[in-house]
């Protein structure tokens, strides 16, 4: 497999190296970030195909920054270890050194990290989320010209804000037949008025916590984003009709946030009104309705605010409409701290072959540039990726998709494709 290491990349070698000719991004009191012209950006390659797509992403992002700012701005990339590579080099899957550096750097990017099944190994992705309180997972889903399962994918342009810290993921589970499940069942029947018919002796129970504080900070982030980016139609989803104390409350809290002074006159909730200049409209949509609408009239929605579990379903469905998670970027965002990442997994079945599609991580790199406020550079990546797809070049998954649609396509390796995208950056 071919790798290119550009001269502004500091690879890990027994420890993290801190470049002297660059500075850290800083965080202001209001949570906003201040970005120097030579920021230090840490990256974690990730497991499986990570070591193939990370250099590809860096090649494209470097080129875009260079072309957009002619050398007056430059990223200094610093490799941090996590996952298999970290275990091999340091004996730990998530070294403290990685966490400390990320804390200092504030913004970073990562490839996929595997969670070995059944070995008692905790998910590093969850550990990172917890360590930095990345409470919103943000997934913009838009079409760039790739093969898709639907005939008019240009209608999909939606940003899913998935709450990242609450819901069943933060809950506790009691397995059917366990002493704990029986204890909880008895408590619910005896003390909480639950009906025995709903809780027979063989039930398993999952607890689904949802907090007002966590919901409201997430909703504020999504509404601010919609207002800043001029996206008009915002839906808050949930099965509030069934789970009133959790998803129903989530929806109510979202509407309470819309009434806060910060959003006065900017977030409208009158369903008969149309949002004007500088306004967004907040609408409540039942989750199953939203899943249907995304297929039938995806153009109706610009931003979807979701709980953790619903956000998982909705973002995957939206991603499928435009060709799959291989084309979708994502960002885990907290108060200032942000870690961008590819949405697919480690793809062990193709690792080492040099054929992995680098777009999800590359577009995550573009999303990171937007977060830094370097829009000129991110725009260059979007148009170069579009152009590459118009020219019908790409990794085997892309090329075979075009062929299935009866079109010719040129198949390239991961790095060749990245270079072709970089070459199209003007
Ligand atoms: P996966 O995404 O790794 O693979 C599913 C299928 O998609 C495979 O056939 C794979 O070859 C293909 N694929 C995925 N990415 C591709 C790419 N960039 N180019 C071409 N083909 C690609 O999903 P999985 O097999 O369910 O998960 C494997 C591991 O990844 C698991 O350990 C899982 O926990 C982890 N994972 C990590 C993240 C993350 O770090 N955010 C996300 C999802 C899964």
């Amino acid at each position: 497999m071919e790798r290119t290491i550009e001269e502004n990349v500091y690879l890990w070698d027994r420890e993290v190296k801190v470049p002297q000719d660059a500075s850290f991004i800083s965080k202001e009191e209001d949570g906003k970030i201040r970005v120097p012209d030579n920021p230090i950006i840490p990256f974690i390659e990730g497991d499986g195909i990570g070591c193939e797509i990370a250099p590809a992403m860096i090649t494209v992002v470097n080129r875009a920054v260079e072309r957009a700012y002619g050398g007056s701005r430059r990223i200094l990339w610093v490799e941090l270890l996590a996952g298999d590579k970290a275990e091999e080099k340091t004996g730990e899957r998530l070294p403290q050194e990685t966490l400390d550096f990320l804390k200092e750097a504030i913004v970073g990017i990562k490839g996929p990290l595997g969670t070995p099944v059944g070995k008692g190994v905790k998910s590093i992705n969850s550990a990172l989320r917890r360590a930095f309180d990345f409470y919103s997972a943000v997934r913009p889903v838009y079409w760039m010209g790739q093969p898709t399962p639907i005939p008019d994918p240009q209608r999909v342009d939606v940003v899913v804000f998935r709450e990242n810290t609450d819901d069943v993921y933060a809950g506790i589970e009691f397995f059917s037949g366990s002493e704990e499940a029986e204890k909880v069942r008895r408590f619910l029947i005896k003390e909480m008025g639950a009906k025995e018919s709903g809780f027979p002796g063989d039930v398993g129970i999952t607890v689904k916590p949802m907090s007002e504080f966590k919901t409201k900070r997430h909703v504020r982030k999504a509404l601010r984003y919609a207002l800043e980016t001029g996206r008009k139609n915002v839906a808050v989803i949930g099965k509030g009709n069934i789970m009133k104390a959790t998803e129903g409350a989530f929806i109510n809290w979202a509407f309470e946030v819309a009434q806060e002074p910060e959003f006065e006159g900017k977030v409208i909730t009158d369903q008969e009104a149309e949002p004007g200049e500088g306004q967004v409209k907040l609408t409540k949509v039942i989750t199953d309705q939203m899943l249907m609408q995304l297929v039938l009239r995806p153009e109706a929605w610009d931003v979807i605010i979701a709980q953790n579990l619903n956000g998982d379903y909705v973002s995957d469905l939206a991603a499928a409409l435009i060709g799959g998670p291989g084309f979708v970027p994502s960002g885990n965002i907290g108060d200032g701290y942000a870690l961008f990442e590819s949405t697919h997994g480690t793809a062990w079945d193709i690792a080492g072959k040099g054929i992995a599609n680098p777009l999800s991580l590359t577009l995550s790199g573009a999303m990171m540039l937007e977060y830094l406020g370097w829009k000129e550079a991110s725009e260059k990546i979007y148009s170069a990726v579009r152009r590459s797809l118009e020219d019908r070049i790409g990794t085997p998954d892309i090329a075979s998709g075009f062929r299935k649609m009866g079109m010719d396509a040129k198949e390239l390796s991961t790095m060749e494709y990245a270079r072709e995208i970089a070459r199209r950056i003007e």
Side-chain angles (χ1 to χ4, degrees), residues 331-371:
N332 295 294
I333 303 182
D335 285 326
Y337 292 108
L339 187 62
F340 296 84
E341 66 173 340
S342 46
T343 48
H344 53 73
T346 51
W348 273 111
D349 52 335
I350 57 162
K353 296 184 180 162
I355 57 169
N357 177 351
L359 285 184
S360 175
L361 191 62
T362 301
L363 294 171
S364 300
M367 192 179 168
M368 180 181 79
L369 292 174
E370 274 188 58
Y371 188 76

Side-chain angles (χ1 to χ4, degrees), residues 92-286:
E92 287 176 83
R93 291 189 67 74
L94 182 57
Q96 189 59 40
E97 187 184 39
T98 294
L99 292 171
D100 292 345
F101 198 92
L102 273 176
K103 199 145 253 169
E104 191 138 26
I106 297 177
V107 177
I109 186 161
K110 67 175 269 294
L113 288 166
T115 310
V117 181
K119 283 204 212 157
V121 185
K122 295 247 164 67
S123 158
I124 301 173
N125 293 315
S126 313
L128 283 168
R129 254 169 239 160
R130 268 197 310 276
F132 293 92
D133 199 14
F134 292 130
Y135 54 82
S136 297
V138 184
R139 271 199 203 181
V141 184
Y142 47 84
W143 181 63
M144 307 214 84
Q146 67 272 24
T148 63
I150 59 169
D152 42 8
Q154 68 283 357
R155 291 163 63 205
V156 185
D157 185 2
V158 65
V159 184
V160 180
F161 272 74
R162 170 185 174 189
E163 204 287 329
N164 225 3
T165 64
D166 228 346
D167 207 341
V168 287
Y169 298 82
I172 178 165
E173 297 203 286
F174 305 103
F175 288 89
S176 164
S178 68
E179 213 176 288
E180 291 81 8
E182 183 54 22
K183 234 179 181 168
V184 175
R185 186 178 87 89
R186 286 272 136 236
F187 168 74
L188 292 174
I189 293 168
K190 281 201 181 134
E191 307 207 21
M192 306 305 290
K195 294 219 167 60
E196 186 127 22
S197 58
F199 289 84
D202 59 353
V203 282
I205 300 167
T206 298
V207 178
K208 178 182 172 84
M210 217 160 265
S211 109
E212 177 175 352
F213 168 74
K214 289 181 178 183
T215 301
K216 285 189 168 173
R217 65 181 180 172
H218 172 65
V219 172
R220 281 183 206 110
K221 197 175 275 302
L223 290 177
R224 283 179 196 140
Y225 171 87
L227 286 163
E228 278 162 22
T229 56
R231 289 173 172 267
K232 297 266 174 232
N233 292 305
V234 180
V236 53
I237 64 167
K239 292 282 283 181
N241 47 340
I242 306 297
M243 291 168 276
K244 296 183 176 66
T246 50
E247 299 195 6
F250 184 101
I251 292 170
N252 292 339
W253 290 325
F255 279 87
E256 282 174 24
V257 169
Q259 302 309 317
E260 290 176 357
E262 175 185 353
F263 299 112
E264 208 184 316
K266 295 181 186 161
V267 178
I268 60 166
T269 53
D270 175 358
Q271 295 309 302
E272 302 306 316
E274 282 306 315
E277 194 54 35
Q279 288 186 320
V280 304
K281 178 165 154 180
L282 183 65
T283 306
K284 158 180 123 179
V285 183
I286 294 176

